[in-house]
Amino acid sequence: MAAESACWSVTPLDWDSEFWGRRVVRVSSAAPDSDVVGDGRSGALDDALSAADLAYLLVDADRIDLVAAAERCGFNVVDVRCEVVRCDDVARPSTRSKPEGFECHAPNAVELRHSAELAARSHLNTRFGNDAELSHDDTAEMYRRWLMRDAARRDWSVVVAVSDERVLGYATHGAHSDATGSIGLIAVDRAAQGLGVGSALLSAAITAECQAGRGQMTVVTQGGSRPAMAMYQAAGFTVARLGLWLHWHRR
């Protein structure tokens, strides 16, 4: 399918629209004869953008033709999306020694608030933080709310790493499907990086998902983050899909 023959579907995003205070949509490419499900509609890319102020577009990394078509309409690449999966026995015992100096557990109310503040300052290198037209303060607030939302979601949980009542890091995790778990957010305080906190949080999340009957894990992370990719690779994850996130703003 050449970019010129592609059509585009668009789906309004209610939560994003309310948060950013503008009309936000998710745009995706589709075969010309495909059916668009739900509230989406299909057509030319310009048509897809006619009802939007901000648009998100995810394109497979090998579809440079679609990236070029989107850029001609004013989209800009803001991040590399990497989906990693772990399909082997997640319950196998770890051969690594347990890190010392902190423990991982479900957070109390104070630790959860501290985790939300850590989230607010830890994800500014994401596609939202990389978008120069979005406020860093607003992006920080979005991740603060994201962590609290995950903590309140059904079949989702938060695990924190704590040392001397100080939150060193956190991970949110829960059901992606009946048999598959997922990591939502994971971050380690800058001062605690290199101590094995991220790996310990990841291990705790994997174990919890396995105990809940979800023996497969999937995670969306940043393909440009070497530490994140190294951590997932060491835990037995492999790359399933690479993509490019693009954003468009009405001017």
Side-chain angles (χ1 to χ4, degrees):
M1 180 179 68
E4 289 74 12
S5 65
C7 69
W8 305 81
S9 66
V10 57
T11 303
L13 301 177
D14 294 338
W15 189 94
D16 295 68
S17 296
E18 181 178 357
F19 179 80
W20 293 112
R22 63 194 79 176
R23 297 171 299 173
V24 184
V25 301
R26 169 78 177 268
V27 180
S28 60
S29 62
D33 58 351
S34 67
D35 294 328
V36 180
V37 180
D39 295 331
R41 60 186 177 83
S42 63
L45 185 51
D46 285 340
D47 291 338
L49 299 173
S50 63
D53 299 308
L54 168 60
Y56 310 149
L57 171 62
L58 177 63
V59 176
D60 284 339
D62 61 350
R63 293 307 307 271
I64 302 302
D65 57 330
L66 295 181
V67 174
E71 287 179 332
R72 287 195 292 272
C73 287
F75 278 88
N76 291 305
V77 175
V78 290
D79 201 10
V80 178
R81 178 188 187 274
C82 182
E83 183 177 349
V84 296
V85 298
R86 190 174 191 266
C87 302
D88 57 346
D89 181 7
V90 297
R92 66 186 181 188
S94 174
T95 57
R96 295 185 174 187
S97 59
K98 183 178 179 180
E100 298 180 355
F102 62 89
E103 63 176 22
C104 297
H105 57 241
N108 59 34
V110 173
E111 292 166 345
L112 187 60
R113 289 197 299 271
H114 289 173
S115 297
E117 293 309 309
L118 178 57
R121 61 179 186 270
S122 295
H123 300 285
L124 296 181
N125 61 338
T126 62
R127 66 184 175 104
F128 297 102
N130 292 337
D131 189 330
E133 298 196 40
L134 296 177
S135 160
H136 275 199
D137 288 342
D138 288 342
T139 298
E141 177 61 20
M142 184 188 71
Y143 282 105
R144 186 183 287 112
R145 294 188 189 184
W146 187 335
L147 184 133
M148 298 302 290
R149 181 200 64 178
D150 280 0
R153 289 171 67 185
R154 181 181 177 183
D155 293 330
W156 275 73
S157 303
V158 179
V159 58
V160 293
V162 177
S163 174
D164 295 329
E165 300 184 349
R166 176 169 166 258
V167 174
L168 305 183
Y170 63 82
T172 72
H173 61 91
H176 179 74
S177 67
D178 289 344
T180 304
S182 181
I183 303 291
L185 295 174
I186 185 168
V188 177
D189 189 279
R190 185 180 297 274
Q193 292 176 4
L195 302 178
V197 175
S199 295
L201 289 166
L202 180 59
S203 178
I206 291 173
T207 299
E209 290 304 304
C210 180
Q211 292 173 346
R214 294 182 282 269
Q216 179 173 325
M217 291 290 291
T218 181
V219 184
V220 172
T221 187
Q222 293 173 277
S225 174
R226 289 186 180 182
M229 294 302 295
M231 179 181 68
Y232 288 119
Q233 184 178 22
F237 286 81
T238 58
V239 175
R241 182 186 178 192
L242 280 173
L244 297 173
W245 274 116
L246 298 95
H247 286 182
W248 174 91
H249 293 264
R250 181 172 298 283
R251 294 177 173 82

